[in-house]
Amino acid sequence: MPVAADHTEVSAAIRTDLGAIFVSLELSRSTWLVTSLSPGGKEKMSKHSVRGGDMAGLLERFAQLREKAKAKIGRDFPIVAIQEAGLDGFWIHRALERNSIESHVVDPASIATSRRHRRAKTDKIDGETLVRTLLAHKRGEPRVCSMVRAPTPEEEDRRRVCRERKILVAERTEHSNRIKGLLFAQGIGDYDPLRRNRREHLEELRTGDGRPLTKFLKAQICRELDRLEVLLDQIKIVDAERDTLLAVEKEGLLPSDPSAAMLLGIRGVGPEFAAVLWSEGLFRHFDNRRQVAAYAGLAPSPWQSGSTDRERGVSKAGNPRLRTVMVQLSWLWLRHQPKSALTLWFEERVKRSGGRGRKSAIVALARKLLVALWKYVTVGVVIDGAILKAA
């Protein structure tokens, strides 16, 4: 039985009848691999390397591609570029658009790949795959890939507040746990580094066998407290920036949509939840509720083949920050909104399963709640049975 061979060099069997030069960018810190397919060119794609970060060199390469295509065909062609979303962010995409180049950013996980156990993977192969994906996308083939909508610099900058706070809180937990671990090894388990009297309480501590803290142990804990207090001050500063931004939007002093402030009117939604929900997802435009759930990674992922039909849980392919905060908010929703339709639906579902499956049910509630909040901030549909805060 013949074995299909891997075609590492893919010929341009697809005609580029869209009147453009299609270019893919494989980005790394050291080099940028430029793979191009031009009208009237050879049967295979051309490749050229540019030093990483050299935007002038990249634009010069694009100009050379245009000159070669014009010399062969006799007219100018626009350039359509594609790159994967990654560590480089969106600055390259914005720079290309400022130079009148059509640019696309694709979600790399949405591109179909070979399912062979040992498939070949190189920058050369990935560059050709990106060009073919771009061609199919421009031809209008459905579901060939998922293009990323690049946020504006203002939108990208706004969500830094919530992301920085999450990092600071994680570092605060690390220092707090380290201090507790040092003291627990000495038989002390009732010390809380986050209390205001942490310094005074430290002087009063005695080990499990009745000794005062040793010299170097106390010095280490004091240095940990110094770093912890710096973090606490920075968290207060970030919280103040977040609250100020929400207050300005609530008063309508910004030209942007004040939908983030609308979330604060719902009982159980505080400043942090409102800021994260808006900056991580609800500020975007969605055509339907399926897109909302898919963006948060809360869409179902069925496995159906012949007589086999089972559900594998949520896809987890979207924004992890938005998905995490929605699961947290769902648990709080049960406490603060006990009479809402969503809470009653959750209780009925858990009751039918005999009290089991609360975790899977809370994920389903998170999906429903996110869609309900999206409808609330976009068209003003109040969640059925939800209690709003007093003005």
Side-chain angles (χ1 to χ4, degrees), residues 192-201 229 232 236:
D192 187 359
L194 299 180
R195 289 182 179 178
R196 293 185 178 181
N197 63 340
R198 48 186 167 269
R199 298 280 185 176
E200 294 79 5
H201 191 194
E229 289 170 352
L232 294 175
K236 290 180 181 179

Side-chain angles (χ1 to χ4, degrees), residues 197-229:
N197 63 340
R198 48 186 167 269
R199 298 280 185 176
E200 294 79 5
H201 191 194
L202 182 65
E203 300 295 334
E204 303 170 356
L205 293 180
R206 292 295 182 270
T207 63
D209 53 355
R211 297 177 292 103
L213 297 181
T214 56
K215 175 183 176 181
F216 294 114
L217 175 61
K218 183 184 291 186
Q220 181 182 1
I221 293 176
C222 288
R223 286 189 288 268
E224 288 286 345
L225 289 176
D226 292 339
R227 293 190 285 269
L228 179 62
E229 289 170 352

Side-chain angles (χ1 to χ4, degrees), residues 164-165 168 171 227-241:
E164 182 186 3
R165 187 183 188 279
L168 293 175
E171 292 179 2
R227 293 190 285 269
L228 179 62
E229 289 170 352
V230 171
L231 288 172
L232 294 175
D233 292 338
Q234 291 180 348
I235 291 175
K236 290 180 181 179
I237 294 173
V238 173
D239 287 344
E241 293 177 350

Side-chain angles (χ1 to χ4, degrees), residues 317-375:
N319 189 318
R321 300 176 183 86
L322 181 60
R323 182 169 61 253
T324 299
V325 77
M326 281 310 307
V327 173
Q328 294 172 348
L329 180 59
S330 298
W331 287 113
L332 293 175
W333 187 267
L334 301 177
R335 180 190 306 174
H336 296 283
Q337 301 284 354
K339 301 300 181 181
S340 67
L342 292 176
T343 301
L344 298 178
W345 171 87
F346 174 85
E347 293 176 349
E348 178 63 24
R349 175 169 174 170
V350 174
K351 182 179 179 181
R352 288 199 307 267
S353 61
R356 299 183 300 272
R358 288 178 61 86
K359 290 186 178 180
S360 59
I362 205 66
V363 175
L365 176 62
R367 180 170 60 248
K368 289 178 173 291
L369 180 57
L370 178 60
V371 173
L373 293 174
W374 168 68
K375 293 180 179 179

Side-chain angles (χ1 to χ4, degrees), residues 34-55:
V34 182
T35 306
S36 61
L37 183 62
S38 303
K42 297 181 179 180
E43 285 297 315
K44 61 180 181 180
M45 305 176 191
S46 64
K47 298 171 182 64
H48 184 83
S49 296
V50 178
R51 182 172 55 86
D54 185 8
M55 181 56 65

